[in-house]
Amino acid sequence: MTSRRAGEKPPVRRQRRLLVVSYRLPFRLEEGKLAQNAGGLVSALFAYARAHGSQSDPGGFEELVWIGASTNSAAELASAEREADMPRVRLVPVTIPPRLDRQFYEGCSNDLIWPLFHSFPDLADFRATNYEAYQKANALFCRLVEKEARDGDVIWVHDYHLLLLPGMLRQALPAAAIGLFLHIPFPSFEIFRLIPRTWRVALLEGMLGAHLVGFHTQDYATHFLEAVSRCLDGATDQMVVDSVHGRSRVGAFPIGIDAREFELERNTAAVQQCRDDIRRAIGDHRLMFSVDRLDYTKGLLQRLLAYEEFLERFPRWLGEIVFNMVVIPSRDTIPRYQKMKKEIESTVGRINGLYSTLDWRPIVYQYRSIPRAELIALYDMADIGLITPMRDGMNLVAKEFVACQPPHRSGVLILSEMTGAAAELREALLINPNDRSEIADAIATALLMSDEQRRSTWTRLRDRVFANDVFTWAEEFLDGVYSARSGTAVPTATGISPAGFRKMREAYRKAAQRVILLDYDGTLVPFHRIPSEAVPDDRVRQVLSHLAADTANQLAIVSGRSTQFLERWFGKEPVTLFAEHGAFRRHPGGDWQQLQADDKHWKNAVIACMRQIWKRSPGAAIEEKATAVVWHYRDMEPVSAKQRTADLERALHELLNDNSDLQIVRGDRIVEVRPKKFSKMHAAREFIGTPPPPFILAIGDDRTDEDLFAAVPPPGYTVKVGNGPTRAAMSVTNPGQVLALLEGLISPASMDPEAIHGAHRGADRI
Ligand code: ADQ
């Protein structure tokens, strides 16, 4: 996709409202005027909002609303003076009580998620009260968004402070299209797993409330998918996840800058003035520049030490180069940050003390927020941009440096490979921020690089920075939210609304004959770690006997279980039993009948094949049934389960290559090999009979139940338990809701409507 610029008409579907939600509003009040807050997210969205939120852009969003924390009221913000070029954004302030804010923002967000996600586990603070505050604050944001939202809105949630919010919104606003973008890295599982189990599950499920979850790089997206597959039951397939909320997509959307705006600003009088001032101050020394917020992730001290090594090892540059290190004040009331600041300042003092001469200082250190004109002038004039974070989600400074360099005198970007930007700006001199000597070498290399080399490298970097600008980022992300929300390629079931249930009950009552087909595991009873312990309780028995007591009803349990298991638990119930996916049938009180003769020679070969892989698959089990062989991997560690099961499927496909009578079927954490002639479809068709009765209901949860659903002719009812792709028309979330549904059919008075359509909030049609 190409970048769309301000003034170009965005797609028609964009004529909706966009609600941006971030921890902080992008503006604060300063002497009655709106002033922009610093930070990467604000820089990026400000540029996008300015382009698409202006009244002169009728093709843009109908309205832009920004919801975030502020100490000012909505009225104060609305009546404040605005600069002419400020975007038309309606600001909705969230007031967070100070104590809650401290625990949520300073505590959980900045002292737990920030250090962990940046791979600084030693700095993480796991205080439970902070996590509770995080939950409360996310709920507070949710209430405000709910108040503001209208049908058809697109809600774009930003960053690590609000990871629970998308899940809350998906429940509260089923009609909204929700996107979440994480501006910081997502860590590898070894680090993510340090978060207490219930919190980490809640965080992942919260994130998956978004229809689209976006990261800066493919690596972060991959880490996230790994965490999902290890912590949640939901299925992940490529970049798609099915979770309690339904389906979400996951993708890499590297953030960009408004490159053209930076380029234009280079030529303003204010920037020219700054350039003149800087030149006067540094004379004709070479200039190396860095700018970062004060933070341990930015590698500030390590950078200084690397520069010291450079001065030591390459003395020919003494007196020739000035390193201007700008550090923007941030969180410096916190002891850890104060300590870091002191260390930086004493190191600067020591290096300057060691190397300065009467007319030269190797480091010009500034601890202040510099005006934008000065920042652009420094980007423009620097011969080297030294950007060496220990870890950084993206790092916009690297891109801004590239955009502001003059073509005739382009400088060199030295960039940490630990930044998201390094995944895009491959032509930069990439360094490891822990390797002082590599950084020192890179500075020396940059200083000696020929004009030709610098120009050709910069041209390639510049092309990429301009092509993947902030507009491309926002457009692609928002397009992604639309297609994740409205893509219809994957059929999923809708939950059961009160009206839908009433219709079903009406049909049930009117019908003189009815067929009800029920799967067992995951449908009538929840899964159990030990399959033999997943047994029916009194409620299940009662529902079945009440259903069977009505002579109009024909009731069957169609399961993959063995004849012995089903007979043990349902042998005395007035229910027809189908075992092993329909290979065996037993009418109430009768004997088991094998529906078709089976040639069993294939089983030994399949078992031998499975045993080979079982040897290196702790937790896996092989079950031999009368007509099938099953590989169970529920108890395996999820990542090796995925790999071993893929190995198994490959081996089985090879083994069964020329045996067209057998099929390999995936169920819930199982792989089953069985003859094609036995399927729930055959069993169900036989049971339904011809002509079909006026009321049919089939309920099941896994892939084998798709065969059951396929056998149900219209206008029969098909209900899937859980989420994910299905041919069923309706869904509920768990066996408890199946029982509530069946109880509701028999005796409407006992039905708890919430118990059933609690489900339909989560499973929406996409
Ligand atoms: P930040 O940690 O804020 O962002 P970064 O990407 O480097 O880090 O952005 C800093 C931004 O602040 C730049 O756009 C810079 O121009 C701006 N800035 C610098 N000095 C300023 C000043 N005095 N006033 C106003 N603005 C100033 C987080 C993540 C990053 C990710 C961004 C965007 O930590 O990894 O790149 O979000 O997703």
Side-chain angles (χ1 to χ4, degrees), residues 403-618:
C404 292
Q405 284 280 303
H408 60 279
R409 191 187 40 77
S410 42
V412 180
L413 175 63
I414 299 177
L415 180 63
S416 161
E417 62 188 2
M418 303 297 187
T419 62
E424 277 181 279
L425 306 179
R426 309 295 307 166
E427 293 84 357
L429 288 182
L430 296 184
I431 52 88
N432 179 325
N434 297 301
D435 189 343
R436 281 184 217 168
S437 134
E438 189 181 34
I439 299 175
D441 286 342
I443 298 172
T445 306
L447 288 168
L448 290 175
M449 223 181 237
S450 70
D451 288 354
E452 180 49 38
Q453 236 179 329
R454 276 187 282 124
R455 207 171 12 255
S456 83
T457 306
W458 173 77
T459 308
R460 274 179 284 161
L461 289 172
R462 182 191 176 279
D463 286 350
R464 203 154 314 122
V465 167
F466 274 70
N468 296 332
D469 65 3
V470 66
F471 302 99
T472 311
W473 169 70
E475 290 285 322
E476 288 191 351
F477 185 83
L478 289 168
D479 282 350
V481 176
Y482 282 106
S483 70
R485 178 70 185 82
S486 58
T488 49
V490 184
T492 52
T494 53
I496 304 176
S497 64
F501 176 74
R502 276 196 294 278
K503 220 175 123 202
M504 187 195 288
R505 196 177 57 200
E506 218 35 50
Y508 179 88
R509 291 222 181 119
K510 274 198 204 139
Q513 282 176 307
R514 313 175 194 112
V515 161
I516 299 171
L517 297 147
L518 303 168
D519 169 51
Y520 179 68
D521 289 285
T523 299
L524 286 177
V525 297
F527 286 104
H528 198 285
R529 281 184 79 83
I530 304 163
S532 60
E533 291 186 9
V535 298
D537 61 12
D538 288 348
R539 188 176 173 202
V540 173
R541 290 174 183 293
Q542 259 174 23
V543 170
L544 293 181
S545 32
H546 279 147
L547 280 170
D550 187 335
T551 50
N553 287 344
Q554 277 191 298
L555 194 58
I557 292 177
V558 189
S559 165
R561 291 271 186 162
S562 65
T563 53
Q564 295 85 339
F565 181 90
L566 291 182
E567 188 165 346
R568 170 155 183 227
W569 294 103
F570 295 104
K572 296 199 174 69
E573 307 290 340
V575 178
T576 298
L577 302 174
F578 287 92
E580 300 200 13
H581 299 102
F584 297 91
R585 182 191 57 209
R586 177 187 183 275
H587 288 305
D591 292 325
W592 285 102
Q593 289 173 288
Q594 181 158 2
L595 295 182
Q596 292 189 42
D598 183 24
D599 156 27
K600 292 180 188 158
H601 294 311
W602 57 270
K603 281 206 305 191
N604 290 342
V606 167
I607 289 171
C609 170
M610 285 186 180
R611 279 190 69 82
Q612 285 305 317
I613 292 170
W614 173 83
K615 283 187 213 156
R616 49 196 173 95
S617 307

Side-chain angles (χ1 to χ4, degrees), residues 56-102:
S56 60
D57 179 27
F61 285 102
E62 184 196 321
E63 191 186 10
L64 258 166
V65 182
W66 197 313
I67 301 168
S70 169
T71 48
N72 302 112
S73 70
E76 280 174 328
L77 292 166
S79 61
E81 210 181 301
R82 291 179 184 227
E83 302 274 338
D85 69 341
M86 275 190 178
R88 306 297 322 161
V89 182
R90 188 154 64 77
L91 301 173
V92 179
V94 182
T95 310
I96 311 175
R99 186 180 149 80
L100 180 69
D101 193 35
R102 236 184 354 266

Side-chain angles (χ1 to χ4, degrees), residues 28 52 85 99 103 117 122 150 161 200 207 232 235 278 284 286 362 380 496 548 576 636 663 689 717 721 723 731:
R28 64 190 181 284
H52 288 286
D85 69 341
R99 186 180 149 80
Q103 293 176 325
F117 281 35
D122 294 352
R150 296 203 304 248
H161 319 87
R200 69 182 186 233
M207 293 174 78
L232 302 185
I278 295 166
D284 54 4
R286 302 279 201 108
D380 172 318
I496 304 176
T576 298
M636 283 185 74
Q663 59 182 342
Y717 293 90
V721 188
N723 42 55
S731 70

Side-chain angles (χ1 to χ4, degrees), residues 37-41 43 114 118 181 183-184 216 255 262 291 293 298 328 369-371 375 379 392-397 400:
N37 288 331
L41 162 63
S43 307
W114 177 273
H118 282 90
F181 190 82
H183 290 262
I184 64 173
H216 283 308
I255 198 169
F262 274 100
V291 54
R293 275 185 311 101
K298 300 291 183 183
I328 304 171
S369 176
I370 55 173
L375 179 70
Y379 283 149
D392 211 337
M394 171 56 73
N395 194 292
L396 294 177
V397 169
E400 291 168 6

